[in-house]
Amino acid sequence: MAYVSSDEHEENGVARRVLLAGPRSFCAGVERAIEIVEGALESRETPVYVRKEIVHNASVVGDLAQRGAIFVDELDQVPNGSTVVFSAHGVSPAVREEADRRDLEVIDGTCPLVAKVHAKARRFAGRGDTVVLVGHEGHEEVEGTLGEAPDSTVLVETVEDVEKLSPADAGRISYLTQTTLAVDETAEVVGALRKRFPLLHEPSSEDICYATTNRQKALNAIVAESDLCLVVGSTNSSNSVRLVELSRRQGTPAQLIDRAADIRPEWLEGVRTIALTAGASAPHHLVTEVVTALGEYGPVSVEEREITRETVRFELPSGLRGDTEQPTDSRTS
C-alpha cells in the first residue's frame, strides 16, 4: 500500500488527532451473514453460490470470493440443485419460490432484524392496510420488503412523496422503514405521515436497526469538534452513505473510503482533528489501516469515543451450528 512520503506534501509532519467513533464497523447481522458463508464453504464439498453481495462491502466480498464463494446477481446463474446463500438484505417471496422450483439448497443469511420488517409487512397487509415503506428505491432490502406484499405496499423516500400518496382508505395506513436509514431524516418523513394521516398505524418498535442508530449517534458525538470525517465503507452501503450525509449536514466535510489507499492528501490540508468511523459492513481491520495511513502524514494521536457497547449476537441457521448451541435472542439490547 503506497502513501505520500514526507517530502511530497506540505501538510506532512503536522500533528493530528483522530477521534474514533464507537460503535463502528461490523454489526451482529453482518457477522452472522459472513459466518454463514464461511460455514457453508467449510461444510459443503460442492460450490457455494451467494445471491447478490452477502453484505455491502467490497473487501468482505473480495475475501469470500478468494476463498471460493461464487457471487451471482440472480438465481438463473445458479445450477439446479446447488447450494445458494441469500444475502443479509433479504429476498422477496418470489425469489424463495424460484429457489424451490430449482431444487436449490437455500441457506438464509437474511439479518433477523430485516426478517422482522418482512413479517410486519405481511401482517399489516394481511389486515387490510396500505403499507407505506420508507426507504431508498432499488436497495436490495427495500426490494425484498416490497415483495412481501407488492399489491399493498407503496414506497416513499421524502416528505414530498408523502404528499403525493392517495391510499384507498386513509384510515387504514401503516408504515415501515428500511433498517439502514438516517434517523433524523426518517423522523421527518414519519412526521409528515402522521400529519397527513392522523389514524396512521405505527409499528410497535423502530425498524431502523440498533447498529445503524448507534453508529449515527456515535458520529454525532464527535463530528462537531472535527475538521474532517472519514467513513470506511463501500458506496453501495446505505448505512455508510448515511454517515457521510450526517457529517455534511452538521457542517463537517466527509469522505467515504473503501480502504486506506483511497485517502487523498488534499483532504488533509488544514485538518487537525479527524472523525473516523466505519459502516456496519466494514471490517475492523480497515479502520486500523486508515489510522496507520494517516500516520504517514504526520504524528497521530488516537482517542476512542464509545457511546455504548454492543452485545447483540444472532444464532446461525440450524444447519450451520452445533446441536449444543442455545438459541440467541435476536432482539437488540
Side-chain angles (χ1 to χ4, degrees), residues 130-153:
T130 294
V131 182
V132 178
L133 175 60
V134 184
H136 295 293
E137 186 174 6
H139 190 278
E140 288 159 34
E141 179 187 330
V142 166
E143 291 177 349
T145 304
L146 286 172
E148 292 291 348
D151 296 331
S152 303
T153 309

Side-chain angles (χ1 to χ4, degrees), residues 8 12 31 37 53 57 74 87-88 101 120 191 222 239 255 268 270 284 318 324:
E8 290 182 294
N12 286 352
E31 290 178 339
V37 178
E53 294 187 353
N57 184 267
E74 296 297 345
S87 79
R101 288 195 302 271
K120 291 179 186 178
I222 62 175
N239 76 91
Q255 301 292 342
L268 303 180
H284 296 277
S318 57
T324 58

